[in-house]
Amino acid sequence: MMARPGIDTPDHRGRTGLDRDGRGLDRNPDIVVRDVELTSQGWHVLRRTTFDYRRRDGRWETQQRETYDRGNGAVVLPYDAERGRVLLTRQFRYPAYVNDHPDGMLVEAAAGLLDGDDPLAAIRREAAEELGVTLGPIAHVVDAYMSPGSVTERLHFYAAPYAPADRTGTGGGLAEEGEDIEVLELPFTEALAMIRDGRIADGKTILLLQWAALDGPFARAAGTG
């Protein structure tokens, strides 16, 4: 039998056993995983899983689902409540561009994959790389599955205060990873307006800005505006 990269032998990222994810899951007695196939492996992994599912009426049926595994991530909204500003990014996103976004240049909160770090360490790293800001205290907001019908990623949401003195670098991302990120320091009221008129169309960013307006550092200002 030929060796299969990513299964029997290391793939280009040194991974093996990529077809074992999900096998043996038993937390839900109404789900029995039967088979996991590795259908594609680039930087991330696509799997096809066959499982038995017990419906609410008691009948069992066999289903298949494809899952895209890109790992888990973290996202942060740095805010300056005194000056009424937030730090965001703008960068090109091909998936949005090919799906009707006018130019693919999305305004987003800084985010990244954990890559083996804990979420707090990862978001400090991403804030420094993308925004050029050194974060102090960080508050956890929520954890959420952003596209649970097909993507396994769980995203850890954070917010953190910053001041002008905390902007210790230029940001912009890592050129060696193909990143070309513009740093935006925006009035919070403008960021909210950008949601309303469609200039901000990224789900994670909308969630954090709405949180900041409803329960976060700008709740009182948003309520009186």
Side-chain angles (χ1 to χ4, degrees), residues 171-192:
L174 300 179
E176 60 268 27
E177 294 184 3
E179 295 179 330
D180 181 25
I181 298 172
E182 179 184 1
V183 181
L184 304 177
E185 186 176 48
L186 299 175
F188 179 69
T189 53
E190 180 180 352
L192 286 182

Side-chain angles (χ1 to χ4, degrees), residues 34-153:
R34 295 300 182 188
D35 189 36
V36 181
E37 304 169 71
L38 187 65
T39 60
S40 178
Q41 60 186 101
W43 191 251
H44 308 307
V45 178
L46 184 66
R47 299 179 179 91
R48 181 186 298 114
T49 299
T50 304
F51 58 89
D52 295 338
Y53 170 70
R54 181 159 49 194
R55 301 176 62 88
R56 287 178 297 159
D57 63 9
R59 290 185 299 112
W60 285 90
E61 67 180 26
T62 300
Q63 298 185 0
Q64 282 191 332
R65 292 291 185 272
E66 288 189 344
T67 55
Y68 186 60
D69 184 354
R70 61 191 305 271
N72 295 327
V75 56
V76 68
L77 179 69
Y79 62 87
D80 185 333
E82 183 176 342
R83 295 189 302 133
R85 293 181 176 269
V86 292
L87 281 179
L88 299 174
T89 69
R90 181 187 283 122
Q91 60 184 306
F92 179 69
R93 297 296 201 183
Y94 180 76
Y97 184 49
V98 79
N99 192 24
D100 290 336
H101 190 275
D103 58 9
M105 303 299 296
L106 262 62
V107 176
E108 305 178 35
L113 297 177
L114 302 187
D115 287 334
D117 288 335
D118 68 76
L120 281 174
I123 207 55
R124 290 186 186 278
R125 178 193 72 224
E126 294 298 328
E129 292 176 359
E130 295 191 4
L131 298 170
V133 65
T134 300
L135 297 179
I138 299 176
H140 177 253
V141 176
V142 71
D143 296 336
Y145 296 94
M146 299 302 290
S147 188
S150 57
V151 182
T152 61
E153 180 184 26

Side-chain angles (χ1 to χ4, degrees), residues 200-223:
I200 291 180
D202 171 66
K204 64 183 180 294
T205 307
I206 293 171
L207 187 156
L208 278 173
L209 290 173
Q210 295 284 9
W211 165 83
L214 294 172
D215 296 313
F218 301 105
R220 181 173 299 177

